[in-house]
């Protein structure tokens, strides 16, 4: 008997699987049961599918209610968010990335891109997350791994309670040391030793990291108790934890690890020892590298002479030198680079006539060894966090070759910049942009502290304005514009108002470029004012009416 919802002549006897099969094959080749072929067959198929859909939905039995959790969520003692800040968080979490195919973004701020900054500000102020927003916050963190550390810090203990109830949020347990359980500290040696010997691997990693952060010696001694029986991949992970608080007292343990059965463990031990300038390994590497590099005074100008190793002996391999060169690299240059990279940088001033890093880098290098030698010094400066060598290798930001003598790529320059203080980084990148523009500056801007210093922010805006006035293709600067939205100081918004109008386009400008630039600057100004409003809300102050508050509903 047909349902009251069933249209006349609808083949209600057809199963859902049969209807799917008919849809895949097509009604010209097959029709549902009780339906004749012809022009009416497609409509009959859709009618039957509609009826079956209603039946499938209406025929579901209610699921069995889950048992109530045995324990309630832990209380969060942190202060509650100001009401306006809670509303802002709800708005940021409700925003979804656009589904366009790469067209214009318009003038509305990208709220999801502001969520990491909002979370950082909220965590700085020590606020607790509103309980009603925790599911949306965990969903956002599930989809974006970059959000997880800040989101879980803000979510607090209630997020771990929820994660145990919903498999979709289990990442919160994996990302939290011990899965949210309280780890024993150095004041509980027996409990710590028991967990170290009997715990799961993730628990042991979390325990070792927690103890290392507070008592490096205790963590090293705990690791030594089971080192000989650990798997190679576990030894590598545990050894990596010694980077925290690395000191001379770790040297005997690391020297023993140089004889490990695993090549990766040996290489990590050698890397850690080379980061200790006073270690025996650093001294051995300095002796080897020093015999390869010297100053030649026979010509009219002092020149660095290089005699790369002719072989990689067993001692070099034990100290972490990889004997086999990658494809396309010469063996001798490969070995030389590893020796120089692991040599304490203070060695070179003594070895090369008491010269400063700037004077050493300025010396010519014979026989086309300059690129290899300077690249190795770059890696050493980053590994040893030596700002004086980093500045020497970066050189002047206004250099015509758009980089220092030792920085052969933007990635290397960015790494060198990361060893400098935030003010020096901003000053160098601002000078680079003033001379070379924005085309090569994206990676360099990524290592600068947020919000950008005033001089750096002005350099970026001036360069964008110059590109706009020159009629440059606007989409090529979208990445820098996106960085500016997140990193410019919000106080710069007032200075940018003049750039939000549509400019007169030069003859050679890309069609519609002026409108795009105007939209981009309007979005930049709106985003900066929104960021200012976010900060005021988290501080508990009402946003100013008009200039800041007018963007409270953007998105």
């Amino acid at each position: 008997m047909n349902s009251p919802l069933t249209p006349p002549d609808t083949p209600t006897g057809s199963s859902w699987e049969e209807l799917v099969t008919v849809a895949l094959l097509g009604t010209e080749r097959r029709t549902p049961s009780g339906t004749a072929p012809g022009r009416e067959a497609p409509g009959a198929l859709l009618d039957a599918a509609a009826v079956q859909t209603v039946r499938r939905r209406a025929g579901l039995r209610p699921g069995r209610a889950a048992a109530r959790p045995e324990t309630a969520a832990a209380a969060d003692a942190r202060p509650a968010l100001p009401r306006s800040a809670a509303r802002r968080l709800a708005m940021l979490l409700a925003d979804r990335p656009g589904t366009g195919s790469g067209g214009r973004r318009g003038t509305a701020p990208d709220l999801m891109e502001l969520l990491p900054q909002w979370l950082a500000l909220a965590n700085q102020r020590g606020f607790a997350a509103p309980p009603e927003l925790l599911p949306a916050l965990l969903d956002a963190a599930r989809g974006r791994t970059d959000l997880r550390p800040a989101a879980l810090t803000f979510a607090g203990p209630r997020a771990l309670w929820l994660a145990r109830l919903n498999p979709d949020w289990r990442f919160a347990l994996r990302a939290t040391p011990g899965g949210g359980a309280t780890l024993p500290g150095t004041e509980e040696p027996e409990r710590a030793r028991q967990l170290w010997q009997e715990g799961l691997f993730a628990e042991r990693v979390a325990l070792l990291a927690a103890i290392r952060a507070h008592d490096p010696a205790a963590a090293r001694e705990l690791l030594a108790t089971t080192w000989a029986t650990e798997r190679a991949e576990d030894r590598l992970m545990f050894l990596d934890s010694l980077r925290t608080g690395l000191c001379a007292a770790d040297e005997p343990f690391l020297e023993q690890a140089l004889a490990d059965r695993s090549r990766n463990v040996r290489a990590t031990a050698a890397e850690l020892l080379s980061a200790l300038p006073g270690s025996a390994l650093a001294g051995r590497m300095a002796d080897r590298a020093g015999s390869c590099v010297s100053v030649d005074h026979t010509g009219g100008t002092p020149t660095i002479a290089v005699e790369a190793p002719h072989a990689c002996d067993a001692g070099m391999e034990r100290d972490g030198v990889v004997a086999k060169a990658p494809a396309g690299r010469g063996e001798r240059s490969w070995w030389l680079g590893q020796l120089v990279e692991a040599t304490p940088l203070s060695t070179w001033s003594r070895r090369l006539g008491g010269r400063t890093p700037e004077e050493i880098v300025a010396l010519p290098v014979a026989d086309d060894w300059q690129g290899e030698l300077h690249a190795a010094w770059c890696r050493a400066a980053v590994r040893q966090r030596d700002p004086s060598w980093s500045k020497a290798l970066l050189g002047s930001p206004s250099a015509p070759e758009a980089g220092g003598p030792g920085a052969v790529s933007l990635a290397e320059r960015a790494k060198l910049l990361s060893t400098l203080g935030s003010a020096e980084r901003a000053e160098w990148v601002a000078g680079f942009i003033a001379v070379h523009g924005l085309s090569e500056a994206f990676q360099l801007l990524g290592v600068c502290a947020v919000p950008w210093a005033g001089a750096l922010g002005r350099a970026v805006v001036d360069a964008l304005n110059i590109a706009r006035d020159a009629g440059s293709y606007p989409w090529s600067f979208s990445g820098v514009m996106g960085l500016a939205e997140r990193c410019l100081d919000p106080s710069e918004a007032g200075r940018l108002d003049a750039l939000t109008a549509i400019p007169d386009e030069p003859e050679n400008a890309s069609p519609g470029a002026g409108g795009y630039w105007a939209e981009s600057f309007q979005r930049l100004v709106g985003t900066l004012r929104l960021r200012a409003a976010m900060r005021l809300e988290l501080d508990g102050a009402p946003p100013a009416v008009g200039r800041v508050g007018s963007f409270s509903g953007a998105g």
Side-chain angles (χ1 to χ4, degrees):
M1 179 175 177
N2 286 357
S3 162
L5 297 176
T6 306
D9 303 323
T10 297
T12 56
S14 301
S15 68
W16 181 258
E17 291 74 17
E18 181 187 356
L19 295 176
V20 171
T21 302
V22 173
L24 290 173
L25 294 175
T27 54
E28 292 183 356
R29 300 176 60 187
R30 184 170 176 176
T31 58
S33 300
T35 303
R39 298 179 60 183
E40 305 299 325
L45 172 63
L46 294 177
D47 289 339
V51 170
Q52 286 287 4
T53 298
V54 173
R55 284 179 172 175
R56 286 161 64 91
R57 291 177 178 173
L60 292 177
R61 294 182 178 180
R64 185 182 299 275
R68 290 175 63 90
E70 296 180 1
T71 58
D76 196 332
R78 295 174 297 177
L81 273 177
R83 188 173 301 175
S84 59
R87 288 197 299 267
R88 180 72 65 192
L89 175 60
M91 185 187 305
L92 296 177
L93 291 171
D95 189 64
R96 292 291 179 267
T99 56
S101 58
R104 291 188 173 185
R105 288 174 51 197
T107 61
D110 189 339
L111 301 187
M112 278 300 290
E113 287 304 313
L114 292 179
L115 183 56
Q117 195 166 115
W118 189 98
L119 289 170
L121 291 171
N123 286 332
Q124 288 171 9
R125 288 154 176 76
F127 286 122
E132 67 274 13
L133 294 181
L134 285 174
L137 182 62
L138 288 171
D139 281 341
R142 179 192 178 201
R144 285 182 56 177
T145 56
D146 63 306
L147 281 179
R148 290 182 183 178
L152 293 178
T153 298
F154 179 62
R158 289 169 173 164
L160 301 177
W161 183 83
L162 287 171
R164 294 186 180 96
L165 303 177
N166 186 345
D168 289 344
W169 300 332
R170 290 292 171 86
F171 69 87
L173 301 177
R174 296 191 297 270
T176 304
T182 303
L183 295 173
T186 53
E187 71 281 359
E188 301 176 283
E190 289 305 318
R191 184 169 168 239
R193 188 174 297 276
Q194 181 179 7
L195 181 60
W196 177 250
Q197 293 175 347
E198 302 175 6
L200 300 174
F201 176 69
E203 294 174 325
R204 300 178 72 211
V205 171
L207 174 66
L208 189 65
I211 295 178
R212 182 71 179 181
H214 294 91
D215 190 341
R220 185 181 63 249
E221 292 167 4
L222 185 66
L223 177 57
T225 61
T226 60
W227 178 259
T229 60
E230 302 287 357
R231 299 183 306 167
E233 55 267 33
D234 294 350
R235 292 198 304 275
L236 181 62
M237 184 72 75
F238 294 144
L239 191 64
D240 201 59
S241 70
L242 298 186
R243 296 182 190 276
T244 301
L246 183 67
C247 63
D250 297 320
E251 183 178 357
F253 182 85
L254 293 172
E255 274 285 344
Q256 291 180 357
L258 288 176
D260 196 89
R261 301 183 301 276
S262 166
R263 183 179 67 181
N264 290 334
V265 172
R266 295 196 303 271
T268 300
E271 180 188 348
L272 292 173
L273 283 167
S274 69
L276 294 171
S279 67
L281 180 139
R284 295 192 295 268
M285 289 298 201
D287 290 339
R288 294 174 181 128
S291 66
C292 298
V293 181
S294 61
V295 176
D296 182 3
H297 293 280
T298 58
T301 302
T303 302
I304 294 180
V306 175
E307 182 64 30
H310 290 274
C312 181
D313 57 36
M316 289 168 61
E317 288 197 63
R318 180 181 180 276
D319 285 346
V321 176
V322 178
K324 186 175 181 180
R329 288 288 302 273
E331 284 186 332
R332 295 182 65 199
S333 64
W334 172 244
W335 299 332
L336 174 72
Q338 294 178 80
L339 295 181
V340 173
E341 179 181 354
T343 296
L345 289 165
S346 58
T347 300
W348 300 111
S349 181
R350 298 191 302 271
R351 175 70 180 168
L352 303 179
R355 291 176 171 85
T356 65
E358 288 80 5
E359 292 169 337
I360 293 172
V361 169
L363 288 174
V365 182
D367 301 326
D368 297 325
W369 282 104
Q370 178 168 314
E372 187 67 49
L373 183 61
H374 284 194
W377 277 336
C378 283
R379 297 193 297 273
V382 173
R383 179 184 294 187
Q384 298 172 37
R385 311 303 295 175
D386 191 311
S388 61
W389 270 88
S390 292
K391 285 187 282 189
L393 291 161
L394 280 166
S396 169
S398 61
E401 66 273 18
V408 296
S409 71
L410 287 170
E412 284 181 328
R413 292 176 216 162
K415 291 177 182 178
L416 290 170
L417 283 168
S418 70
T419 68
L420 306 183
S422 58
E424 289 180 304
R425 261 178 282 166
E427 181 182 2
W428 197 93
V429 177
F432 181 92
I433 292 172
V435 175
H436 304 290
L438 292 169
S439 58
E440 296 187 20
F442 187 80
Q443 282 183 281
L444 307 182
L445 286 168
V447 300
C448 292
V450 178
W452 288 336
L456 176 57
R458 288 189 292 275
V460 171
V461 172
D462 289 345
L464 288 170
N465 193 21
I466 291 171
R468 181 190 70 158
D469 291 344
S472 298
Y473 193 64
W475 290 271
S476 61
F477 296 95
S478 59
V480 175
M481 189 67 79
L483 267 182
E485 292 171 16
R486 298 188 296 274
C487 302
L488 265 180
D489 193 311
S491 63
E492 295 286 325
R495 199 172 69 86
L496 301 176
D497 276 330
L499 302 179
T500 59
I502 298 178
D504 295 330
E505 295 184 359
E507 290 184 5
N508 298 326
S510 304
Y516 177 90
W517 280 111
E519 286 182 359
S520 298
F521 280 116
Q522 289 166 21
R523 184 174 60 250
L524 174 57
V525 171
T527 302
L528 295 180
R529 288 181 175 150
L530 182 54
R531 286 173 51 206
M534 285 167 28
R535 185 179 293 272
L536 286 172
E537 291 160 356
L538 286 165
D539 288 337
V545 177
R547 294 177 66 82
V548 171
S550 61
F551 291 90
S552 60

